[in-house]
Amino acid sequence: MSLVKKIKTAINHSVDQSAPSSANMNERIAVSAFYKAEARGFAPGGDMGDWLDAEAEINSSAMED
């Protein structure tokens, strides 16, 4: 699944307080990955790296909480 599709999927799913925390994490990762892609000018071929970098950062910050 492309980064754009992942972002759209994450954003289109409303996350409420009763939703599993993994849904919220997925949304946070999608938003972070979007900003990473934006920062590199949405050049093709970097979407997986953006997603993995964002996932690592979000997971790392969640472990600190």
Side-chain angles (χ1 to χ4, degrees):
M1 179 183 287
S2 74
L3 175 63
V4 173
K5 287 183 181 179
K6 287 180 181 180
I7 292 169
K8 286 181 180 179
T9 300
I11 292 172
N12 287 336
H13 287 94
S14 61
V15 179
D16 61 25
Q17 296 297 335
S18 64
S21 62
S22 63
N24 188 7
M25 293 287 283
N26 203 36
E27 182 176 4
R28 291 174 58 198
I29 293 167
V31 170
S32 178
F34 173 83
Y35 285 118
K36 289 179 179 305
E38 180 181 52
R40 60 178 183 75
F42 297 105
D47 57 340
M48 182 61 75
D50 294 335
W51 186 269
L52 294 174
D53 289 345
E55 186 175 43
E57 288 177 9
I58 298 299
N59 286 335
S60 175
S61 69
M63 305 249 333
E64 292 173 2
D65 293 340

Coordinates of all heavy atoms in Angstrom, one line a residue:
M1 N 0.9 -1.2 0.0 CA 0.0 0.0 0.0 C 0.9 1.2 0.0 O 1.9 1.3 0.7 CB -0.9 0.0 1.2 CG -1.8 1.2 1.3 SD -2.9 1.2 2.8 CE -4.0 -0.1 2.5
S2 N 0.6 2.2 -0.8 CA 1.4 3.4 -0.9 C 1.2 4.3 0.3 O 0.2 4.2 1.0 CB 1.0 4.2 -2.2 OG -0.2 4.9 -2.0
L3 N 2.2 5.2 0.5 CA 2.1 6.1 1.6 C 0.8 6.9 1.6 O 0.2 7.1 2.6 CB 3.3 7.0 1.7 CG 3.4 8.1 2.7 CD1 3.4 7.4 4.1 CD2 4.6 8.9 2.5
V4 N 0.5 7.4 0.4 CA -0.7 8.2 0.3 C -2.0 7.5 0.7 O -2.8 8.0 1.5 CB -0.9 8.8 -1.1 CG1 -2.2 9.5 -1.3 CG2 0.3 9.7 -1.5
K5 N -2.1 6.2 0.3 CA -3.2 5.4 0.7 C -3.2 5.1 2.2 O -4.3 5.1 2.8 CB -3.2 4.1 -0.1 CG -3.6 4.2 -1.5 CD -3.7 2.9 -2.2 CE -4.1 3.1 -3.7 NZ -4.1 1.8 -4.4
K6 N -2.0 4.9 2.8 CA -2.0 4.7 4.2 C -2.4 5.9 5.0 O -3.1 5.8 6.0 CB -0.5 4.3 4.6 CG -0.1 2.9 4.2 CD 1.3 2.6 4.7 CE 1.7 1.2 4.3 NZ 3.1 0.9 4.7
I7 N -2.0 7.1 4.5 CA -2.3 8.3 5.2 C -3.8 8.5 5.0 O -4.5 8.8 6.0 CB -1.6 9.5 4.6 CG1 -0.1 9.4 4.9 CG2 -2.1 10.8 5.0 CD1 0.8 10.3 4.2
K8 N -4.4 8.4 3.8 CA -5.8 8.6 3.7 C -6.6 7.6 4.5 O -7.6 8.0 5.1 CB -6.2 8.4 2.2 CG -5.8 9.6 1.3 CD -6.2 9.3 -0.1 CE -5.8 10.5 -1.0 NZ -6.1 10.3 -2.4
T9 N -6.2 6.3 4.6 CA -6.9 5.3 5.4 C -6.8 5.7 6.8 O -7.9 5.7 7.5 CB -6.2 4.0 5.2 OG1 -6.3 3.6 3.8 CG2 -6.9 2.9 6.0
A10 N -5.7 6.1 7.3 CA -5.5 6.5 8.8 C -6.4 7.7 9.1 O -7.0 7.8 10.1 CB -4.1 6.8 9.1
I11 N -6.4 8.7 8.2 CA -7.1 9.9 8.5 C -8.6 9.7 8.3 O -9.4 10.3 9.1 CB -6.7 11.1 7.5 CG1 -5.2 11.5 7.9 CG2 -7.6 12.3 7.6 CD1 -4.6 12.4 6.9
N12 N -9.0 8.9 7.4 CA -10.5 8.7 7.2 C -11.1 7.8 8.3 O -12.3 7.9 8.4 CB -10.7 8.0 5.8 CG -10.5 8.9 4.7 OD1 -10.6 10.1 4.8 ND2 -10.2 8.4 3.5
H13 N -10.4 7.1 9.0 CA -10.9 6.3 10.1 C -11.0 7.2 11.3 O -9.9 7.7 11.8 CB -10.1 5.1 10.4 CG -10.2 4.0 9.4 ND1 -9.4 3.9 8.3 CD2 -11.1 3.0 9.3 CE1 -9.7 2.9 7.6 NE2 -10.8 2.3 8.2
S14 N -12.1 7.4 11.8 CA -12.2 8.3 13.0 C -11.8 7.4 14.2 O -12.2 6.3 14.4 CB -13.6 8.8 13.2 OG -14.5 7.7 13.4
V15 N -11.0 8.0 15.1 CA -10.4 7.3 16.2 C -11.1 7.9 17.5 O -10.9 9.1 17.7 CB -8.9 7.5 16.3 CG1 -8.4 6.8 17.5 CG2 -8.3 6.9 15.0
D16 N -11.8 7.1 18.2 CA -12.5 7.6 19.4 C -11.7 7.0 20.6 O -10.8 6.2 20.5 CB -14.0 7.3 19.4 CG -14.3 5.9 19.4 OD1 -13.5 5.0 19.8 OD2 -15.4 5.5 18.9
Q17 N -12.2 7.4 21.8 CA -11.5 6.9 23.0 C -11.6 5.4 23.2 O -10.8 4.8 23.9 CB -12.1 7.6 24.2 CG -11.9 9.1 24.2 CD -10.5 9.5 24.3 OE1 -9.6 8.7 24.8 NE2 -10.1 10.7 23.8
S18 N -12.6 4.8 22.6 CA -12.8 3.3 22.8 C -12.0 2.5 21.8 O -11.9 1.3 21.9 CB -14.3 2.9 22.7 OG -14.8 3.2 21.4
A19 N -11.4 3.2 20.8 CA -10.6 2.5 19.8 C -9.3 2.0 20.4 O -8.8 2.6 21.3 CB -10.3 3.4 18.6
P20 N -8.8 0.9 19.9 CA -7.5 0.4 20.4 C -6.4 1.4 20.2 O -6.4 2.1 19.2 CB -7.3 -0.9 19.5 CG -8.5 -1.1 18.7 CD -9.4 0.1 18.8
S21 N -5.5 1.4 21.0 CA -4.4 2.4 20.9 C -3.6 2.2 19.7 O -3.0 3.1 19.2 CB -3.5 2.3 22.2 OG -2.9 1.0 22.3
S22 N -3.6 1.0 19.1 CA -2.8 0.8 17.9 C -3.4 1.6 16.7 O -2.6 2.1 15.8 CB -2.8 -0.7 17.5 OG -4.1 -1.2 17.2
A23 N -4.7 1.9 16.7 CA -5.3 2.7 15.7 C -4.8 4.2 15.8 O -4.5 4.8 14.8 CB -6.8 2.7 15.8
N24 N -4.7 4.6 17.1 CA -4.2 6.0 17.3 C -2.7 6.0 16.9 O -2.2 7.0 16.3 CB -4.4 6.3 18.8 CG -4.0 7.7 19.1 OD1 -3.7 8.5 18.2 ND2 -4.0 8.1 20.4
M25 N -1.9 5.0 17.2 CA -0.5 4.9 16.8 C -0.4 5.0 15.3 O 0.5 5.7 14.8 CB 0.1 3.7 17.4 CG 0.2 3.6 18.9 SD 1.5 4.8 19.5 CE 3.0 3.8 19.1
N26 N -1.2 4.2 14.6 CA -1.2 4.2 13.2 C -1.4 5.6 12.6 O -0.8 6.0 11.6 CB -2.2 3.2 12.6 CG -1.8 2.7 11.3 OD1 -0.6 2.5 10.9 ND2 -2.8 2.4 10.5
E27 N -2.4 6.3 13.2 CA -2.7 7.6 12.7 C -1.5 8.5 12.9 O -1.2 9.3 12.1 CB -3.9 8.1 13.4 CG -4.4 9.5 12.9 CD -5.6 10.0 13.5 OE1 -6.2 9.4 14.4 OE2 -6.1 11.1 13.2
R28 N -0.9 8.5 14.1 CA 0.3 9.3 14.4 C 1.4 9.0 13.5 O 2.1 9.9 13.0 CB 0.7 9.1 15.8 CG -0.3 9.6 16.9 CD 0.0 9.3 18.3 NE 1.4 9.8 18.6 CZ 2.1 9.4 19.7 NH1 1.6 8.5 20.5 NH2 3.2 9.9 19.9
I29 N 1.6 7.7 13.1 CA 2.7 7.4 12.2 C 2.4 7.9 10.8 O 3.3 8.5 10.2 CB 2.8 5.8 12.2 CG1 3.4 5.3 13.5 CG2 3.7 5.4 11.0 CD1 3.3 3.8 13.7
A30 N 1.1 7.8 10.4 CA 0.8 8.3 9.1 C 1.0 9.8 8.9 O 1.5 10.3 7.9 CB -0.7 8.0 8.8
V31 N 0.6 10.5 10.0 CA 0.8 12.0 9.9 C 2.3 12.3 9.9 O 2.8 13.2 9.1 CB 0.1 12.7 11.1 CG1 0.5 14.1 11.3 CG2 -1.4 12.5 11.0
S32 N 3.1 11.7 10.7 CA 4.5 11.9 10.8 C 5.2 11.5 9.4 O 6.0 12.3 8.9 CB 5.2 11.1 11.9 OG 6.5 11.3 11.9
A33 N 4.8 10.4 8.8 CA 5.3 10.0 7.5 C 4.9 11.0 6.5 O 5.8 11.3 5.6 CB 4.8 8.6 7.2
F34 N 3.7 11.6 6.5 CA 3.3 12.6 5.6 C 4.3 13.8 5.7 O 4.8 14.3 4.6 CB 1.9 13.1 5.8 CG 1.5 14.2 5.0 CD1 1.1 14.1 3.7 CD2 1.6 15.5 5.5 CE1 0.7 15.1 2.9 CE2 1.2 16.6 4.7 CZ 0.8 16.4 3.4
Y35 N 4.6 14.3 6.9 CA 5.4 15.4 7.0 C 6.9 15.1 6.6 O 7.6 16.0 6.0 CB 5.4 15.9 8.5 CG 4.2 16.7 8.8 CD1 3.3 16.3 9.8 CD2 3.8 17.9 8.1 CE1 2.1 17.0 10.1 CE2 2.7 18.5 8.4 CZ 1.8 18.1 9.3 OH 0.7 18.8 9.6
K36 N 7.3 13.9 6.8 CA 8.6 13.5 6.3 C 8.6 13.5 4.7 O 9.6 14.0 4.1 CB 9.0 12.1 6.8 CG 9.3 12.1 8.3 CD 9.6 10.7 8.8 CE 9.9 10.7 10.2 NZ 11.0 11.6 10.6
A37 N 7.6 13.0 4.1 CA 7.5 13.0 2.7 C 7.4 14.5 2.2 O 8.1 14.8 1.2 CB 6.3 12.3 2.2
E38 N 6.7 15.3 2.9 CA 6.6 16.7 2.5 C 8.0 17.4 2.5 O 8.3 18.2 1.7 CB 5.6 17.4 3.4 CG 5.4 18.9 3.1 CD 4.4 19.6 4.0 OE1 4.6 19.5 5.2 OE2 3.5 20.2 3.5
A39 N 8.7 17.1 3.6 CA 10.0 17.7 3.8 C 11.0 17.3 2.7 O 11.9 18.1 2.4 CB 10.6 17.3 5.2
R40 N 10.8 16.2 2.1 CA 11.7 15.8 1.0 C 11.1 16.0 -0.4 O 11.5 15.5 -1.4 CB 12.2 14.3 1.1 CG 11.1 13.3 1.1 CD 11.7 11.9 1.2 NE 10.5 11.0 1.2 CZ 9.9 10.7 0.0 NH1 10.2 11.2 -1.1 NH2 8.8 9.9 0.1
G41 N 10.0 16.9 -0.4 CA 9.4 17.3 -1.6 C 8.6 16.2 -2.3 O 8.3 16.3 -3.5
F42 N 8.1 15.2 -1.6 CA 7.3 14.1 -2.1 C 8.0 13.4 -3.3 O 7.3 12.9 -4.2 CB 5.9 14.6 -2.5 CG 5.1 15.1 -1.4 CD1 4.9 16.5 -1.2 CD2 4.5 14.2 -0.4 CE1 4.1 16.9 -0.2 CE2 3.8 14.7 0.6 CZ 3.6 16.1 0.8
A43 N 9.3 13.4 -3.3 CA 10.0 12.7 -4.3 C 9.6 11.2 -4.3 O 9.5 10.6 -3.2 CB 11.5 12.8 -4.1
P44 N 9.5 10.6 -5.5 CA 9.1 9.2 -5.5 C 10.1 8.3 -4.9 O 11.3 8.6 -5.0 CB 8.9 8.9 -7.0 CG 9.3 10.1 -7.7 CD 9.6 11.2 -6.8
G45 N 9.7 7.2 -4.4 CA 10.6 6.1 -3.9 C 11.0 6.2 -2.5 O 11.7 5.3 -2.0
G46 N 10.5 7.2 -1.7 CA 10.9 7.3 -0.4 C 9.8 7.0 0.6 O 10.0 7.2 1.8
D47 N 8.7 6.6 0.1 CA 7.5 6.5 1.0 C 7.7 5.4 2.1 O 7.3 5.6 3.2 CB 6.2 6.2 0.2 CG 6.2 5.1 -0.7 OD1 7.3 4.6 -1.1 OD2 5.2 4.6 -1.1
M48 N 8.3 4.3 1.7 CA 8.5 3.2 2.7 C 9.5 3.7 3.8 O 9.3 3.4 5.0 CB 9.0 1.9 2.0 CG 9.2 0.8 3.0 SD 7.7 0.3 3.9 CE 6.9 -0.6 2.5
G49 N 10.5 4.4 3.4 CA 11.5 4.9 4.3 C 10.9 5.9 5.3 O 11.1 5.9 6.5
D50 N 10.0 6.8 4.7 CA 9.3 7.8 5.5 C 8.4 7.1 6.6 O 8.4 7.4 7.7 CB 8.4 8.7 4.7 CG 9.1 9.5 3.7 OD1 10.3 9.9 4.0 OD2 8.6 9.9 2.7
W51 N 7.7 6.0 6.1 CA 6.8 5.3 7.0 C 7.6 4.6 8.1 O 7.3 4.7 9.3 CB 6.0 4.3 6.3 CG 5.0 3.6 7.1 CD1 5.1 2.5 7.8 CD2 3.7 4.1 7.4 NE1 4.0 2.2 8.5 CE2 3.1 3.2 8.3 CE3 2.9 5.2 7.0 CZ2 1.8 3.3 8.8 CZ3 1.6 5.3 7.5 CH2 1.1 4.4 8.4
L52 N 8.7 3.9 7.7 CA 9.5 3.2 8.7 C 10.2 4.2 9.7 O 10.3 3.9 10.9 CB 10.5 2.3 8.0 CG 9.9 1.2 7.2 CD1 11.0 0.5 6.4 CD2 9.1 0.2 8.1
D53 N 10.7 5.3 9.2 CA 11.3 6.3 10.1 C 10.3 6.8 11.1 O 10.5 7.0 12.3 CB 11.9 7.4 9.3 CG 13.2 7.0 8.6 OD1 13.7 5.9 8.8 OD2 13.6 7.8 7.7
A54 N 9.1 7.2 10.6 CA 8.0 7.7 11.4 C 7.6 6.6 12.5 O 7.4 7.0 13.7 CB 6.8 8.1 10.6
E55 N 7.5 5.4 12.0 CA 7.1 4.3 12.9 C 8.1 4.2 14.1 O 7.7 4.0 15.2 CB 6.9 3.0 12.1 CG 6.4 1.9 12.9 CD 6.2 0.7 12.1 OE1 7.1 0.4 11.2 OE2 5.1 0.0 12.2
A56 N 9.4 4.2 13.7 CA 10.4 4.1 14.7 C 10.4 5.2 15.7 O 10.5 5.0 16.9 CB 11.8 4.0 14.1
E57 N 10.2 6.4 15.2 CA 10.1 7.6 16.1 C 8.9 7.5 17.0 O 9.0 7.8 18.2 CB 10.1 8.9 15.3 CG 11.4 9.2 14.6 CD 11.3 10.5 13.8 OE1 10.3 11.2 13.8 OE2 12.3 10.7 13.0
I58 N 7.8 7.2 16.5 CA 6.5 7.1 17.3 C 6.6 6.0 18.3 O 6.3 6.2 19.5 CB 5.3 6.9 16.4 CG1 5.1 8.1 15.4 CG2 4.0 6.7 17.2 CD1 4.9 9.5 16.0
N59 N 7.1 4.9 17.9 CA 7.3 3.8 18.9 C 8.3 4.1 19.9 O 8.1 3.8 21.1 CB 7.7 2.5 18.1 CG 6.5 1.9 17.4 OD1 5.4 2.1 17.7 ND2 6.9 1.1 16.3
S60 N 9.4 4.8 19.6 CA 10.4 5.2 20.6 C 9.8 6.2 21.6 O 10.0 6.0 22.8 CB 11.6 5.8 19.8 OG 12.5 6.3 20.8
S61 N 9.0 7.1 21.1 CA 8.4 8.1 22.0 C 7.4 7.5 22.9 O 7.2 7.9 24.0 CB 7.8 9.3 21.2 OG 6.7 8.9 20.5
A62 N 6.7 6.5 22.4 CA 5.7 5.8 23.2 C 6.3 5.0 24.3 O 5.8 4.9 25.4 CB 4.8 4.8 22.3
M63 N 7.5 4.5 24.1 CA 8.2 3.7 25.1 C 8.7 4.6 26.2 O 8.9 4.2 27.3 CB 9.4 2.9 24.4 CG 9.0 2.0 23.3 SD 9.0 0.3 23.4 CE 10.1 -0.2 24.5
E64 N 9.0 5.9 25.9 CA 9.5 6.8 26.8 C 8.4 7.3 27.8 O 8.6 7.7 28.9 CB 10.1 8.1 26.1 CG 11.4 7.7 25.4 CD 11.9 8.9 24.6 OE1 11.2 10.0 24.6 OE2 12.9 8.7 23.9
D65 N 7.1 7.2 27.3 CA 6.0 7.7 28.1 C 5.7 6.8 29.3 O 6.0 5.8 29.5 CB 4.7 7.9 27.3 CG 4.9 9.0 26.3 OD1 5.7 9.9 26.5 OD2 4.1 9.0 25.3

